[in-house]
Amino acid sequence: MKKEFDLDKNKQLLVVPNSAFMKGMTEKIGYFDRIITFDDLEKEIIRDHKQDEVGALSGKIGINNAYRKYKKFLYLKFDDNPNKNNRIQLKLVNPENFDDIFIADTGYDPVWSGVNDQNTFNPLFNALIVYIKENSKTYKQ
């Protein structure tokens, strides 16, 4: 699933879960100006003395508060496919309204091949690269 979205106007900050793997994979794409984890975002909010205004980052309301009251960003996360077992999704989310603007979906075999870069993560991130190319006038790989 992919929606038309002006990525170039929203590429200043990408927030990812607290995972060095997720952060590293998105940094290799070379598109977003800054990529930070939620832990990093919380530290910045505290450093800038905005924690009382923003509140906790837990859940969609907390993420939306950080977006509205602190800094604009996009949110990239892994998720289970709600309709099918043994499938994983990579979602790019607009925290302003929590619309998914991009979803890549792939299957995995929990018994034989497992979840790995070649079969699972590379196809997801390659699909994200294609989406960026289709929705950016500035992306150069």
Side-chain angles (χ1 to χ4, degrees):
M1 187 285 295
K2 37 187 164 173
K3 290 182 179 175
E4 257 187 58
F5 189 80
D6 191 348
L7 288 175
D8 292 339
K9 286 177 80 173
N10 295 279
K11 71 179 204 127
Q12 296 79 20
L13 182 60
L14 179 71
V15 178
V16 299
N18 295 327
S19 160
F21 173 77
M22 174 81 87
K23 186 175 179 187
M25 289 292 280
T26 50
E27 286 173 341
K28 288 179 185 177
I29 293 172
Y31 176 68
F32 296 97
D33 297 337
R34 281 184 69 219
I35 300 164
I36 62 174
T37 65
F38 272 105
D39 191 45
D40 296 331
L41 181 60
E42 285 179 319
K43 287 177 187 175
E44 286 185 14
I45 290 168
I46 293 168
R47 182 197 66 218
D48 293 343
H49 308 288
K50 298 286 186 179
Q51 64 270 28
D52 291 338
E53 185 179 333
V54 173
L57 293 185
S58 60
K60 291 176 183 170
I61 293 172
I63 295 167
N64 177 266
N65 281 339
Y67 176 89
R68 290 182 306 104
K69 297 178 179 183
Y70 185 64
K71 283 185 183 175
K72 307 290 185 221
F73 60 91
L74 293 177
Y75 172 34
L76 185 70
K77 67 177 184 161
F78 288 119
D79 209 350
D80 293 325
N81 183 318
N83 302 317
K84 297 181 182 175
N85 289 335
N86 299 334
R87 297 196 69 80
I88 189 169
Q89 296 181 334
L90 181 64
K91 293 182 176 183
L92 186 60
V93 178
N94 178 0
E96 181 178 20
N97 51 19
F98 251 85
D99 281 349
D100 296 327
I101 57 176
F102 166 80
I103 301 174
D105 184 279
T106 191
Y108 64 89
D109 180 354
V111 178
W112 299 105
S113 61
V115 176
N116 58 47
D117 291 347
Q118 182 179 355
N119 296 331
T120 309
F121 299 117
N122 289 348
L124 293 172
F125 282 95
N126 286 338
L128 177 60
I129 291 169
V130 169
Y131 176 73
I132 291 170
K133 287 178 180 177
E134 291 173 350
N135 288 276
S136 169
K137 293 179 177 133
T138 65
Y139 180 61
K140 294 175 178 45
Q141 187 178 17

